[in-house]
Amino acid sequence: MALKQKFKLHYGFDIKELKKFKDGYIFKTSKAEYLLKKTKMSPAEIVFIFHCHQHLKDNKFVNFEKIVPTKDGCPYLIFNRNTYVLIEHFKKEPIEFSEKQLASLVEFINAFHSASANLKSAVGARYKVQYGKDRITARNMYSIFTKLKENPHLIKTERLRNIILSTIEPNIEYVKKALEILEDTRYLEVISRSMQENRFIHGKLIIDNIHKCYGKLRLGNMFDLELNIREKDIATFVKSLLKIDKSFDFEDCISKFYVTSFDNYKKWLVLAMILLPYEYFSLLKKIVRFRDLDWASEGFEEKIKRICEKDQYKDKILASLH
């Protein structure tokens, strides 16, 4: 069966125009425009995402990129052995970050987190649970970084060995300080509270995933939802702002997210998550795995330099925690 026919059969829309778009297709109907997006997620994972979307709508938070179900209520379509999800396709106007805009962004994110609490169970859903993952990752980072510092011979390529030895010390300091905060018993208390609230978060809440649509803020890229503490989302958001403006007042911004429940530990927790050098860690893991990388040493060297240059704002965060 041709895609147009299957689409009409399952969604009931008459297609006026169809065109290939990235990893899917754009459909234009008489009423709206949709993106049929190919995904590698399993049906159970999609059911979880769709369940979260429904939960947000039930709690009056509607300004986000939604999955459109079939006529039978299924949140995905299988065509030619590939799995697709249908989402609303709208004109995305980027947000130009400014201090004036910040208050609206914080209010919008808080509204999302408020609506995401008290998630009920859904039959057939595979829940993405990420509580405590940052602490586990931080321990792994510290183990690998210190191992490489003490045993540089593990890096077979001299150029890579030199660039790693010249950049690893500040990254060890970032992880050490983050671990002090993540190993605190209050971290488990924050997790326990979030588990009681049964709250999910966005998962990739960078400013580029917040758009303007018809004059209103709207959340995009709603496919990385996970059960986790909201501090993770706040850290991701603040980190994306620091990449735009390294002089940005991150401490004042973090405090704006807490109306009645702010305390210093929550601020430290957000800062700890910002400090963790995920990109640097990911690159070093690849280098350790492949060992002999003469063929790619220049490429890796440039990536390490670029990551470390982008992460220089972390020195300011580190200083604020001492």
Side-chain angles (χ1 to χ4, degrees):
M1 185 184 292
L3 180 57
K4 273 190 177 184
Q5 293 172 295
K6 187 148 188 171
F7 187 83
K8 167 70 174 175
L9 176 66
H10 287 273
Y11 291 97
F13 300 146
D14 285 316
I15 297 170
K16 302 295 182 184
E17 186 181 334
L18 164 67
K19 61 181 178 181
K20 193 85 173 68
F21 181 79
K22 294 182 180 177
D23 53 353
Y25 302 88
I26 287 182
F27 290 93
K28 286 188 179 180
T29 71
S30 57
K31 293 183 178 180
E33 195 170 284
Y34 302 93
L35 172 62
L36 191 65
K37 181 183 176 71
K38 188 192 292 186
T39 177
K40 292 182 179 179
M41 289 192 297
S42 69
E45 289 170 319
I46 299 170
V47 169
F48 167 68
I49 299 298
F50 182 64
H51 176 56
C52 291
H53 289 192
Q54 292 297 108
H55 179 82
L56 290 173
K57 290 195 292 182
D58 290 344
N59 284 280
K60 313 303 181 189
F61 186 87
V62 296
N63 292 324
F64 64 94
E65 191 176 66
K66 306 171 188 70
I67 291 177
V68 180
T70 65
K71 290 187 296 182
D72 296 331
C74 183
Y76 58 88
L77 178 72
I78 295 177
F79 179 73
N80 286 346
R81 297 183 182 178
N82 291 314
T83 303
Y84 294 86
V85 290
L86 186 69
I87 58 175
E88 303 166 315
H89 191 250
F90 56 89
K91 185 179 180 182
K92 297 175 180 178
E93 300 174 27
I95 301 293
E96 291 187 10
F97 169 62
S98 66
E99 287 294 329
K100 186 178 179 180
Q101 180 77 63
L102 183 59
S104 297
L105 288 166
V106 170
E107 184 180 358
F108 179 68
I109 293 168
N110 277 346
F112 163 69
H113 284 149
S114 178
S116 75
N118 300 313
L119 182 69
K120 302 295 188 294
S121 60
V123 176
R126 180 181 175 185
Y127 281 64
K128 186 177 181 183
V129 183
Q130 298 292 299
Y131 296 118
K133 188 176 179 182
D134 288 287
R135 182 161 77 174
I136 294 167
T137 304
R139 290 170 177 169
N140 290 337
M141 285 179 180
Y142 188 74
S143 175
I144 288 179
F145 291 175
T146 52
K147 184 178 180 179
L148 286 176
K149 181 185 174 183
E150 294 165 4
N151 303 279
H153 62 275
L154 292 172
I155 308 300
K156 303 299 182 184
T157 308
E158 185 178 0
R159 288 181 64 176
L160 280 176
R161 188 187 312 129
N162 292 338
I163 189 67
I164 288 170
L165 290 177
S166 68
T167 58
I168 204 165
E169 190 60 46
N171 284 285
I172 289 174
E173 289 303 309
Y174 299 153
V175 176
K176 275 177 67 177
K177 178 49 70 174
L179 265 176
E180 284 179 24
I181 297 163
L182 292 167
E183 296 285 7
D184 193 297
T185 55
R186 285 172 288 183
Y187 179 50
L188 297 180
E189 291 171 9
V190 173
I191 289 175
S192 177
R193 176 66 183 271
S194 187
M195 291 175 75
Q196 289 171 12
E197 294 170 342
N198 216 20
R199 180 194 305 280
F200 60 88
I201 67 169
H202 185 277
K204 284 191 177 177
L205 195 59
I206 58 174
I207 192 169
D208 288 345
N209 282 329
I210 304 175
H211 315 283
K212 269 196 174 179
C213 181
Y214 301 112
K216 293 184 177 180
L217 294 176
R218 190 162 182 158
L219 263 179
N221 193 13
M222 296 287 288
F223 291 96
D224 292 284
L225 306 179
E226 61 185 51
L227 295 175
N228 207 336
I229 57 175
R230 65 190 290 257
E231 281 69 25
K232 180 69 174 180
D233 262 358
I234 296 170
T236 303
F237 176 71
V238 173
K239 185 176 179 178
S240 72
L241 298 185
L242 280 164
K243 288 182 177 179
I244 297 171
D245 180 4
K246 291 181 175 60
S247 62
F248 168 63
D249 189 345
F250 53 87
E251 294 195 49
D252 180 63
C253 177
I254 293 168
S255 68
K256 284 180 168 63
F257 281 98
Y258 299 92
V259 180
T260 58
S261 60
F262 180 73
D263 60 55
N264 278 331
Y265 182 73
K266 287 179 179 176
K267 179 186 75 174
W268 299 337
L269 186 53
V270 171
L271 295 179
M273 291 177 174
I274 296 173
L275 275 179
L276 292 178
Y278 274 96
E279 286 184 272
Y280 186 81
F281 179 53
S282 178
L283 210 54
L284 259 61
K285 282 197 298 183
K286 289 178 183 176
I287 291 169
V288 170
R289 187 184 307 131
F290 294 117
R291 298 291 182 93
D292 186 4
L293 285 168
D294 281 325
W295 57 273
S297 61
E298 187 173 340
F300 275 102
E301 187 178 350
E302 289 305 312
K303 285 181 181 178
I304 290 171
K305 286 179 180 177
R306 191 161 59 247
I307 288 169
C308 292
E309 285 171 4
K310 284 195 304 180
D311 283 358
Q312 284 177 355
Y313 67 85
K314 291 183 178 180
D315 292 334
K316 187 177 177 183
I317 293 173
L318 191 64
S320 77
L321 287 168
H322 282 296

